[in-house]
Amino acid sequence: GAGVSQSPRYKVAKRGQDVALRCDPISGHVSLFWYQQALGQGPEFLTYFQNEAQLDKSGLPSDRFFAERPEGSVSTLKIQRTQQEDSAVYLCASSVSGTGWYEQYFGPGTRLTVT
Amino acid sequence: DQQVKQNSPSLSVQEGRISILNCDYTNSMFDYFLWYKKYPAEGPTFLISISSIKDKNEDGRFTVFLNKSAKHLSLHIVPSQPGDSAVYFCAASGSYGGATNKLIFGTGTLLAVQP
């Protein structure tokens, strides 16, 4: 079956541009997570959705970052007025349930480079 | 403040020998621990997990040990194979308010298995 997919795989943006990163989770998965991975670091939590509800956005680094999942499936992470420090790999993960522990399945990520 | 630490950035072992990857954590509220494996240009792939009520979990060549009093876990791979060469991330999760199940990752250990 299809895993988590993300698009685009690579994005180059000029400083100040807005970008939108898309995540298609595994069909039927309730939970969706976004993580940011800087070079040489582990992934860091950004935000969490349970169906269409954004239950935790404590990891978003600034108000330039915005995420949505309007129909409880596809999610978009938007970064406004990109800065060089936003350069990273953005990972999306989904899991089957919103309660208890279930494995998180990761997509391949979107590598964002801000020049 | 790094809540999950992997102090060895890299490890090299001979094919057929044991690989031991270590991880330390500081937050006593973590109740689930995981190891993920990551190849270049791919997302992390779940490998094995352990609940805080256990001290060992085994799956084929992979065994994870948890020492709660020392806040330490380790991943043993026996025997190591060249295909195991990848970056290994330790991650932890817990019901500490906000989003349950968000993962806190270490910085990773690059394992190289020499033929």
Side-chain angles (χ1 to χ4, degrees):
Chain A
V4 178
S5 61
Q6 293 185 244
S7 60
R9 291 293 313 274
Y10 303 91
K11 176 71 179 176
V12 178
K14 292 191 172 163
R15 192 163 65 94
Q17 281 185 332
D18 298 348
V19 298
L21 312 180
R22 177 187 169 107
C23 172
D24 283 84
I26 294 173
S27 177
H29 275 197
V30 168
S31 292
L32 186 146
F33 301 81
W34 283 98
Y35 293 86
Q36 179 191 58
Q37 186 176 15
L39 192 64
Q41 301 296 315
E44 290 193 5
F45 170 78
L46 292 177
T47 188
Y48 165 65
F49 290 87
Q50 189 174 110
N51 296 307
E52 69 279 1
Q54 189 175 19
L55 299 187
D56 188 335
K57 49 183 180 179
S58 63
L60 296 177
S62 77
D63 58 8
R64 296 186 295 103
F65 286 71
F66 172 77
E68 59 184 4
R69 194 186 184 198
E71 297 178 359
S73 55
V74 171
S75 177
T76 303
L77 176 66
K78 296 179 180 178
I79 309 173
Q80 297 177 323
R81 304 181 305 280
T82 52
Q83 304 293 316
Q84 283 196 315
E85 62 262 28
D86 300 335
S87 295
V89 174
Y90 291 84
L91 294 162
C92 174
S94 69
S95 70
V96 66
S97 176
T99 56
W101 170 262
Y102 293 89
E103 176 186 340
Q104 291 184 25
Y105 295 84
F106 281 81
T110 294
R111 179 176 295 278
L112 172 65
T113 303
V114 182
T115 61
Chain B
D1 180 32
Q2 195 77 19
Q3 296 187 70
V4 177
K5 301 176 185 178
Q6 294 177 257
N7 292 320
S8 297
S10 63
L11 175 68
S12 181
V13 300
Q14 287 294 120
E15 181 178 5
R17 306 295 290 270
I18 184 171
S19 295
I20 300 177
L21 296 99
N22 293 302
C23 178
D24 298 291
Y25 63 96
T26 57
N27 191 335
S28 57
M29 300 209 37
F30 289 146
D31 56 15
Y32 215 85
F33 302 90
L34 310 92
W35 286 93
Y36 277 81
K37 175 180 177 179
K38 187 180 183 303
Y39 293 117
E42 294 184 12
T45 302
F46 171 75
L47 199 55
I48 192 169
S49 64
I50 187 167
S51 163
S52 61
I53 63 173
K54 296 186 174 181
D55 55 17
K56 177 182 175 181
N57 188 26
E58 191 171 353
D59 183 1
R61 298 186 297 115
F62 303 92
T63 303
V64 56
F65 295 92
L66 175 62
N67 182 333
K68 283 183 63 181
S69 61
K71 292 192 175 69
H72 177 84
L73 65 155
S74 61
L75 174 68
H76 293 209
I77 306 174
V78 183
S80 301
Q81 299 173 352
D84 296 330
S85 298
V87 177
Y88 288 78
F89 289 100
C90 171
S93 183
S95 300
Y96 29 62
T100 60
N101 302 338
K102 69 180 178 183
L103 297 176
I104 309 298
F105 284 86
T107 52
T109 296
L110 174 62
L111 174 65
V113 180
Q114 311 295 334

